[in-house]
Amino acid sequence: MTDPQHVLAARVQQALGTAFGQEYSGEDPLIRPSQFADYQANVALSLAKRLRRAPREVAQALVDALDTTDIRVEISGPGFLNLTLNDGWIAAQADHLLADERSGVPQPAPKTVVIDYSAPNAAKEMHVGHLRTTIVGDTLARTHEHLGDRVIRQNHLGDWGTPFGMLIEHLLDIGEEESLERLAAGDGNAFYQEARRKFDSDPDFEERARRRVPMLQGGDPDTLRLWREFIEYTQRYFNRVYRQLGVTLTDDDIAGESMYNPMLTDACDELEHAGVAVMSEGALCVFPPGFTGRDDQPLPLIIRKSDGGYGYATTDLAAIRYRVRDLKADRILYVVGATQSLHFQMVFASARMAGWLTDDTSAEHIQIGSVLGSDGKMFKTRSGESVKLTELLEEAVVRAEAVIADRGYDAATRRSIAQQVGMGAVKYADLSVSHDSEYVFDFDRMLALTGNTGPYLQYATARIRSIFRNGSIDPATVNGPIVLGEPAERALALQLLGFGSVVETVAELSEPHRLCNHLFDVAQAFTSFYESCPVLKAEDETVRQSRLALSALTLRVLLQGLHLLGIEVPERM
C-alpha cells in the first residue's frame, strides 16, 4: 500500500483502538490534505462529544497511541492532528511505484461487471445527448478491465418497436439503396422526421405502417430482411462515431431491445406466476413498495399493456434476468440519463421482488446529467435542433487544428495531433465533472492549454516525452533511485503515490471525475517541478537520475490514467 492517505488512515485507526477500545478502531479518521502539513486528521473533534472529553485531550491520547514511524505529528487548533511524512518514506514508496508496471494500481478479486452504455436509437442519428453516456460508460469499462474484472459491454440499442413500421414503409417508398446510403451517412433524424410527417398526414401511409408492425413482430421474412438492413446500415454510422471518439464498443457488444423480444412473454409469465405481477385495469403490473403517484396511490410498473404490447419496463426486467442468470453478473451498471431515475428505481425494486436481484448482484444507475449551451439551456443548434454528434466532433478537430496551427507541423501531422487533441478536449471536459452534474459545452474553455483541460494534460505528457527525447533516453530504462531534496520534488512524489487508490475508487464509486482531478494535480505538480528542478542539466548524476526517475514515473501515471479516460496523447504538441 503506497497511498499516504490510506497508510495514515490505517495508523490512526489502530491508534483509536489502542487509545479508546477496539469498538472505535473502525471510525473514519477523517484524513484530508492540509496546507499546514501533508495531511490532517480531524477525528478527535468528531469523537470528543461521544467520549465526553475535550478535543485536544482526545487528540493527545491519539498521539500517545500512534505509531509515528516515518511520521511527524503535532496537534493544532482545537484538536487537529497535523501529519507530515518523512522524505525518506516518500522516496522509498516512489521507488516501489517506479518498479511496478501498474504504478500502484491493485488487482483485487475479479468480478463480472456488466456495463450498459451508449444505447443510441437505431431510428435516429446520434446527438450530443449520447456523448456523456458513451464516454462515461467507456471509461468505467476500461477502468474495471484494468483492475482485472471481466467486463461485459452492453450497447442497448433502440432497435425494435412500432416506429419501425413507418421507417420500413418509408424505406420502401424512397428505395432501399438511397435509404441505406442516407442511414449509413448519419441522416437518421431527417429520415425519421420524413417518415413521421407522412405517418401524420397520409392515411394510406399510416395504414401501411401499422400493418407492417405485426409483420415485423411476427417474423415475416421480407420485413425482417428490411429491418436487418436498416439496423446494419445504421450500425455502420454508429461505428464511425465510435471510431472517431476512440471508444471500445464493437458490434459484438450490441444487445438491443430486439434481443430481448423472445424473452418478454416468459419474463411476464414468471412474474405473474410468482405473484409479483398482477392484473390492474387490463394491464399486467408490478407494484413495488414505496412508490406512489400524485394521488398517493401505489404507482404501477406496467410490464404488459392492456392491448398485449410490451414497453421499456418489460425489456429492462428481461435484461436484468438475462444479465444475472446467463451473464452471471456481480455488478450491473446502467450509464443512462438522470431523467430515467424513477424508472430504474422501480425496475430494480421489481427485480428484487422477483428474486432476480439478490445481495450477490448489485444494479446501479449511473445517472448522467445534461449538456447545456452557453445560455444554460439544453445544448441545441441555433434553429433549436439537437446537435449532431458527428458535426460536433468534427468541429472539435477543426478548432484544435487552429490552436496548433503555428507550430510548424506538416498538414498530415497537424491533422493527426488535432484529432487527438480535439477528442481529448471533448472527452476530458465531460469526464472532469461529476457524471450526474450538468455542464456547459464551451469549445474555448475545453481546448485551452492551461487549466483543468484535456489539452493541458496532453501537453504536460508531451513535455515529459521531450525530456527523454532530448536526452536520447528510454524512460523504461530509468530506475533511480529517487532522492528528494527540493520541495517541488517532494510534492510531485507525494502526489504520484495516490494514483492506484484513485483508480480503485473510480471503479468502486463509478466516478471518473476523481481520476481527472488526480491527473490534473499530478500535471500541476510536474509543471512546478519542471520549472524549478533541471532534469537533464541537474547539478550531479545522482540528482539527475532521481529527477529522470520522477519524470518517468509521472509519464507512466499520466499515460495510464489518460488511457483509462480513453484519451490519446500526441508525441509532440
Side-chain angles (χ1 to χ4, degrees), residues 79-90:
F80 301 119
L81 292 188
N82 287 341
L83 306 165
T84 303
L85 293 153
N86 290 353
D87 290 0
W89 184 88
I90 296 173

Side-chain angles (χ1 to χ4, degrees), residues 398-412:
V398 170
R399 286 175 176 252
E401 195 165 359
V403 170
I404 60 169
D406 60 351
R407 304 206 169 192
Y409 298 118
D410 62 78

